[in-house]
Amino acid sequence: MNNPFDYTPDAACDEAFHELTDRIETLKKSDYPEDISLCRELESGKMLGVLIADDTEGVRHTLYAFSGQLGDTGFYHPDFVGPVFDYLDPDGHFKTKEADISRQNADISRFEAEALAEIRNEYKQAKERLNAEVSAYKEKCRQSKQQRDAKRKSGNIDESELAAMILQSQFEKAELHRLKKKVASELEPYESKLKEAQSILDTMKEKRRADSEDLQKWLFDSFRLRNAHGESKSLSDIFAETPLRIPPSGAGECCAPKLLQAAYLKGLKPISIAEYWYGKPKGGDVRIHGNHYPACRGKCLPILTWMLKGLDIEPPLESEFRSIAHKEPRIIFENQWFCVVDKPSGILSVPGKGSAVSVQEWLQEKYGPDRQVKMVHRLDQDTSGLLIASFGPLPFKLLQTMFAMRQIKKTYIAVLEGDYESKGIAHSGRIELPLSPDWLDRPRQRVDLEKGKSASTDYEFIEVHEGRSRVIFHPHTGRTHQLRVHAASEMGLGMPIVGDRLYGISAGMESDRLLLHAHKIEFTFPIDRQNYTFESPVPF
């Protein structure tokens, strides 16, 4: 069976998905409200999965799944497999406890808005009234002191008057002390009432927290996932062995776990699996209708690692990178401070999780430990072109600072899917779309207009050839996958880079590499004050 994290769908999966989309197109013409509602839900964006499996007699079966829930139908629809675990039964434990927690939420909100608010208001009014008494008396004491000070300065004062003034000052201080004690005493019942109310609120919130954690644990314990050996394991136990420890929300509800669970329960042997995006992209995600995508790593990698046990997976599930023939990097310049490397597509810039040799390791082996080689910046594994590596800590720090201060000009050449002229895209311009990681599907990035890090790219189209556009990119920032997302996102150019397996059109992909090349680097180095320009020929 194919690796759900690293695959190209076989013909059977593609054919099955197209049959499914044909059925959906037919439903769009239906007069039934539930069919119309279903189509609208799908068109708003949904991941759909296909599994090809054989039964014990060799008869082939096709199973379909959707991620999460589907409109009013919840987990169930006649064309798709059911959930791994159905927790939506209105009379079941989950919905009953969920309703109880919702009532607790309402009780907490009501208590805060009514009883607690009233007690706080009473306390506030009493405190303001009593503090006003203290303030008024302080003002009286201040004025009295002013009168005494003026009399002292006049010099027309005898010893008896001076003694009387001292007694008056002492009396006023004592009276202020007594007034403050009286205020504290009168305020104490209000403070006690407020503390009691706050304690009640804290108890209510603690119960809600404990009930929510218990319900979550119950849910994760109830999700029991099978594997090809016939064994079962709960979500809690699966994620207990990972750095996350606790399953993320929605774990077990993606397409692949649903499909494998259904196949095992039916006694079927999985043969191939694929997941496709249907409809519009959601939020800042870069998804293309009809395109296939790998399973998400954050939620599904631990789950599928368990569920696929007992099956022969190709490439192996543990494989982090595609196995492709690499050319060696080429050093095009070096001096005592840095070197410039021309990196082929398919090589990592720095060491990764797999065993593939990176440019940094290749340089360290070439120069030895004394040169203290470090990559100043990175290129994606599939991107080719120029990289700078430093020799020693000072050049490393200087060059990194220059990148951060945007003192190094970078020029990339790319080929995009589509004709920019027919799409009505300006010949040149700037893309400013902030980016953030998709934490549950690394290394994917997404457009995040609210919390993303700023990302700015200038572009200029060069030519259009056979329905594809060649473009120059000048990135002003160096965010992960910046050029790839700015090109592919509908909020950017809306034309993915040819060969982009994460954000591009992977179905029928002709190119065996990403057509993105770091073509030129220009900068003035502060130590020798020389202007440097390096170029690498575009290999596509």
Side-chain angles (χ1 to χ4, degrees), residues 2 7 9 13 48-51 255 259 272-276 292-293:
N2 63 281
Y7 70 98
C13 283
L48 304 178
V50 177
L51 177 71
C255 296
L259 289 167
S272 62
I273 194 169
E275 295 183 59
Y276 303 82
H292 81 269
Y293 290 92

Side-chain angles (χ1 to χ4, degrees), residues 137-203:
Y137 191 76
K138 282 182 176 180
E139 177 60 22
K140 179 182 176 181
C141 294
R142 188 188 66 80
Q143 293 177 4
S144 179
K145 184 177 183 299
Q146 279 184 338
Q147 292 172 359
R148 290 193 300 271
D149 290 344
K151 205 165 189 179
R152 286 191 186 96
K153 287 180 181 179
S154 69
N156 299 321
I157 182 170
D158 57 27
E159 290 186 6
S160 62
E161 286 177 317
L162 182 60
M165 287 166 55
I166 292 172
L167 286 174
Q168 183 187 27
S169 175
Q170 291 173 342
F171 172 79
E172 288 174 352
K173 288 179 180 178
E175 190 66 12
L176 179 60
H177 180 69
R178 286 190 291 272
L179 180 58
K180 287 181 177 179
K181 285 186 69 176
K182 170 180 167 291
V183 165
S185 177
E186 291 187 22
L187 200 56
E188 195 277 331
Y190 295 97
E191 291 177 336
S192 296
K193 192 174 181 182
L194 181 58
K195 286 180 181 178
E196 182 181 356
Q198 187 63 51
S199 177
I200 292 171
L201 178 64
D202 291 343
T203 300

Side-chain angles (χ1 to χ4, degrees), residues 318-321 348 351-358 361:
E318 295 77 18
S319 176
E320 183 70 19
F321 306 108
L348 294 164
K353 295 179 182 178
S355 58
V357 175
S358 65
E361 291 167 312

Side-chain angles (χ1 to χ4, degrees), residues 34-277:
E34 56 269 28
D35 291 338
I36 296 172
S37 176
L38 171 67
C39 291
R40 285 176 180 169
E41 173 85 7
L42 290 172
E43 287 178 341
S44 69
K46 179 67 72 173
M47 194 70 79
L48 304 178
V50 177
L51 177 71
I52 309 298
D54 288 345
D55 63 21
T56 54
E57 297 180 356
V59 178
R60 186 142 292 186
H61 300 260
T62 302
L63 306 179
Y64 297 103
F66 52 81
S67 62
Q69 302 175 36
L70 195 57
D72 296 334
T73 63
F75 287 138
Y76 296 99
H77 188 277
D79 287 329
F80 301 93
V81 302
V84 172
F85 174 64
D86 183 2
Y87 54 86
L88 297 182
D89 179 0
D91 300 320
H93 177 78
F94 183 84
K95 297 303 288 184
T96 301
K97 293 298 294 183
E98 186 181 53
D100 179 55
I101 292 170
S102 295
R103 282 193 294 271
Q104 291 182 51
N105 286 332
D107 290 343
I108 289 170
S109 297
R110 186 164 50 251
F111 183 79
E112 286 182 305
E114 297 175 4
L116 183 58
E118 182 178 349
I119 292 168
R120 281 175 174 162
N121 190 50
E122 289 175 355
Y123 171 74
K124 180 183 177 183
Q125 290 180 349
K127 188 175 183 179
E128 288 175 351
R129 173 175 55 81
L130 294 167
N131 284 342
E133 287 185 36
V134 174
S135 296
Y137 191 76
K138 282 182 176 180
E139 177 60 22
K140 179 182 176 181
C141 294
R142 188 188 66 80
Q143 293 177 4
S144 179
K145 184 177 183 299
Q146 279 184 338
Q147 292 172 359
R148 290 193 300 271
D149 290 344
K151 205 165 189 179
R152 286 191 186 96
K153 287 180 181 179
S154 69
N156 299 321
I157 182 170
D158 57 27
E159 290 186 6
S160 62
E161 286 177 317
L162 182 60
M165 287 166 55
I166 292 172
L167 286 174
Q168 183 187 27
S169 175
Q170 291 173 342
F171 172 79
E172 288 174 352
K173 288 179 180 178
E175 190 66 12
L176 179 60
H177 180 69
R178 286 190 291 272
L179 180 58
K180 287 181 177 179
K181 285 186 69 176
K182 170 180 167 291
V183 165
S185 177
E186 291 187 22
L187 200 56
E188 195 277 331
Y190 295 97
E191 291 177 336
S192 296
K193 192 174 181 182
L194 181 58
K195 286 180 181 178
E196 182 181 356
Q198 187 63 51
S199 177
I200 292 171
L201 178 64
D202 291 343
T203 300
M204 294 170 73
K205 287 184 175 181
E206 175 59 26
K207 184 177 187 307
R208 178 183 63 182
R209 184 199 62 77
D211 287 352
S212 296
E213 286 187 358
D214 287 345
L215 182 58
Q216 186 182 60
K217 186 176 186 308
W218 174 87
L219 180 63
F220 293 151
D221 289 344
S222 299
F223 260 86
R224 299 201 65 83
L225 299 124
R226 298 197 173 198
N227 63 21
H229 290 307
E231 303 163 326
S232 77
K233 206 172 192 179
S234 72
L235 271 179
S236 296
D237 291 337
I238 288 173
F239 277 87
E241 301 169 4
T242 71
L244 288 176
R245 306 294 296 171
I246 298 174
S249 176
E253 297 182 46
C254 295
C255 296
K258 287 184 177 181
L259 289 167
L260 290 170
Q261 187 85 346
Y264 295 147
L265 291 174
K266 294 174 183 289
L268 303 177
K269 180 183 178 181
I271 301 299
S272 62
I273 194 169
E275 295 183 59
Y276 303 82
W277 185 258

